[in-house]
C-alpha cells in the first residue's frame, strides 16, 4: 500500500486557508479524487459540530477528515459500518488519493501558502520550509515559485495532481 501525497496549506490566521481548502476538496471530489484532510488546531476545540472546519470539509466531499489538537485527535469518516479491525485499518489509512493538511507551518513537507495583501503581505513560510507555491495576490513574493490567484481552485487542483502523478481518478470510497 503506497502512502498518499500530502500537501500542507499554510498562512497567517484569517488568510482564508480553510475556505480555500474547502473549495479545493470540493473540486477534487468532483474529479473523483479521494481526499482526506488534516487540520491542526493550536487550541482546545469542541470537536465536529455544524459550521466547524472538519464538518465543513466533510460537507464539501472529503471522505475522511482528521483534526489534531493539543490534547485530542478526531477522525470523521462517511458511513462507518461495523467492521473488523483489519478492515477499519485498511479503510482509514489506505483509501485516500491525496491528503490536504492545514496549519502545520513548522512541519516537514510540501507547503502552499495562502497570502493576501489586504490581510498580511509577508509570507509565513520560506522556500527552505518546503514552500512550493503561493495562492496569493502578492506577486512580488517568491517570484521563482508558481503563483495562483486566490480563486484559482481548479488550477491548484491541476498543479497538485500533476505534482503527485495522479492522472486518473480512483474509484469512489464506499
Amino acid at each position: 500500500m503506497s502512502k498518499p501525497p500530502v500537501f500542507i496549506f499554510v498562512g497567517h490566521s484569517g488568510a482564508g486557508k480553510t475556505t480555500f481548502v474547502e473549495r479545493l476538496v470540493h473540486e477534487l471530489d468532483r474529479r473523483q479524487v479521494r481526499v482526506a484532510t488534516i487540520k491542526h488546531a493550536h487550541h482546545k476545540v469542541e470537536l465536529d459540530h455544524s459550521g466547524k472546519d472538519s464538518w465543513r470539509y466533510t460537507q464539501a466531499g472529503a471522505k475522511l477528515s482528521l483534526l489534531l489538537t493539543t490534547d485530542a485527535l478526531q477522525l470523521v469518516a462517511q458511513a462507518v459500518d461495523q467492521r473488523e479491525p483489519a478492515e477499519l485499518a485498511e479503510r482509514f489509512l489506505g483509501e485516500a488519493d491525496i491528503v490536504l493538511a492545514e496549519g502545520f507551518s513548522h512541519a516537514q513537507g510540501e507547503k502552499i501558502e495562502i497570502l493576501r495583501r489586504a490581510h498580511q503581505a509577508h509570507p509565513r513560510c520560506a522556500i527552505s520550509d518546503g514552500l512550493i507555491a503561493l495562492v496569493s495576490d502578492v506577486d512580488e513574493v517568491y517570484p521563482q515559485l508558481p503563483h495562483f490567484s486566490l480563486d484559482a481552485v481548479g488550477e491548484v487542483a491541476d498543479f497538485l495532481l500533476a505534482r503527485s502523478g495522479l492522472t486518473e481518478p480512483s474509484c469512489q470510497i464506499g
Side-chain angles (χ1 to χ4, degrees):
M1 176 184 333
S2 62
K3 295 179 183 178
V6 176
F7 295 98
I8 304 168
F9 286 79
V10 298
H12 297 283
S13 180
K17 297 179 299 293
T18 299
T19 298
F20 191 85
V21 170
E22 177 184 13
R23 292 175 59 212
L24 186 56
V25 165
H26 182 72
E27 174 64 20
L28 290 167
D29 181 63
R30 185 187 67 74
R31 297 180 188 197
Q32 297 182 339
V33 176
R34 296 174 300 185
V35 181
T37 60
I38 303 171
K39 166 78 177 189
H40 183 261
H42 296 282
H43 55 282
K44 189 171 184 159
V45 296
E46 182 180 338
L47 299 178
D48 205 49
H49 58 81
S50 179
K52 288 296 187 183
D53 296 344
S54 60
W55 180 88
R56 289 172 60 190
Y57 293 150
T58 56
Q59 295 302 304
K63 305 306 179 213
L64 306 169
S65 184
L66 186 66
L67 172 64
L68 177 66
T69 67
T70 56
D71 61 351
L73 179 114
Q74 173 192 5
L75 174 67
V76 177
Q78 293 181 347
V80 178
D81 298 328
Q82 291 181 336
R83 299 181 182 178
E84 296 298 322
E87 293 172 320
L88 291 170
E90 180 181 335
R91 173 159 191 203
F92 294 120
L93 300 178
E95 291 189 5
D97 294 320
I98 194 168
V99 176
L100 306 179
E102 179 191 337
F104 293 86
S105 60
H106 299 293
Q108 296 288 326
E110 295 187 313
K111 297 178 178 74
I112 297 97
E113 181 148 354
I114 310 295
L115 183 64
R116 294 177 183 275
R117 185 178 304 280
H119 182 71
Q120 186 75 266
H122 66 278
R124 182 173 179 93
C125 290
I127 293 172
S128 61
D129 296 323
L131 197 62
I132 60 168
L134 287 104
V135 174
S136 180
D137 58 359
V138 184
D139 297 331
E140 64 272 14
V141 173
Y142 303 128
Q144 66 273 44
L145 293 179
H147 279 241
F148 300 94
S149 69
L150 294 165
D151 62 353
V153 175
E155 291 175 35
V156 172
D158 292 341
F159 174 75
L160 297 181
L161 294 174
R163 192 161 180 99
S164 303
L166 295 172
T167 55
E168 294 295 322
S170 303
C171 295
Q172 292 276 22
I173 290 178

